Amino acid sequence: MRSTDDDNIAVNAENNSTIAAAGAIPPLVRLLGPGLAGNVQRDAAAALGNLAMNADNQVTIAADGAIPALVRLLGPGSPADLKINAAAALIQLAVNADNAVTIADAGAIPALVQLLRPGSTAEVKKYAAAALSVLVHSNVENRATIDAAAATAGLLHEMKQLFDTAVSD
């Protein structure tokens, strides 16, 4: 979520709750939809990621269907900045253990592992590794899925190296 605290009112905990209470989450989830401009999707993903810093909002965002849309934005048709914001939002959502299961069930693990492949920017790889790290910490059963996806992609060594970097950052 590539904005500064100075220009983003949603990083303030009180504002975060107020924005969600005003009903902002469902329209933001709709802005993740297919056919919308990448910059709109990027900004909606960033806003949802910031709102997901609140535990109650994590549940609401997931219930409103953001997880499958965010996973879709990790795909090959998305620009790097959109992938970064989608992964960053998934990081915040995955702090909730139930969301971590939903994220894995939505296919995020293979998508995130694919972002570790050569050709992705260093920043995309960093956010993908961080998301995988949170998915493991929130649900240890995800580790086997991550290892299998990395092995299938021939990235087990790279994934472990990036995973260790993301954990230490």
Side-chain angles (χ1 to χ4, degrees):
M1 292 163 304
R2 302 164 64 188
S3 60
T4 65
D5 290 353
D6 293 336
D7 67 359
N8 191 336
I9 62 171
V11 297
N12 174 289
E14 185 177 331
N15 291 344
N16 193 304
S17 296
T18 302
I19 291 166
I25 292 173
L28 286 169
V29 172
R30 285 192 298 274
L31 291 176
L32 300 174
L36 294 169
N39 64 325
V40 171
Q41 294 171 321
R42 178 199 65 219
D43 292 347
L48 287 167
N50 287 327
L51 291 171
M53 291 181 205
N54 173 293
D56 292 334
N57 291 348
Q58 292 167 1
V59 173
T60 302
I61 292 166
D64 285 344
I67 290 172
L70 290 165
V71 171
R72 183 184 48 76
L73 296 176
L74 299 173
S78 297
D81 60 345
L82 181 50
K83 290 176 184 177
I84 289 165
N85 284 1
L90 289 170
I91 290 167
Q92 294 299 326
L93 291 168
V95 170
N96 174 294
D98 291 335
N99 286 350
V101 171
T102 303
I103 291 167
D105 289 347
I109 290 173
L112 290 164
V113 168
Q114 287 300 315
L115 295 179
L116 301 177
R117 296 183 71 83
S120 290
T121 68
E123 193 170 8
V124 167
K125 289 179 181 183
K126 175 180 148 185
Y127 277 87
L132 290 166
S133 174
V134 174
L135 286 168
V136 167
H137 290 296
S138 296
N139 182 330
V140 294
E141 294 175 8
N142 285 338
R143 181 61 191 239
T145 306
I146 292 168
D147 287 347
T152 299
L155 293 171
L156 195 55
H157 176 72
E158 282 184 356
M159 191 272 312
K160 286 183 180 186
Q161 189 174 31
L162 285 165
F163 181 79
D164 291 341
T165 302
V167 171
S168 66
D169 282 350

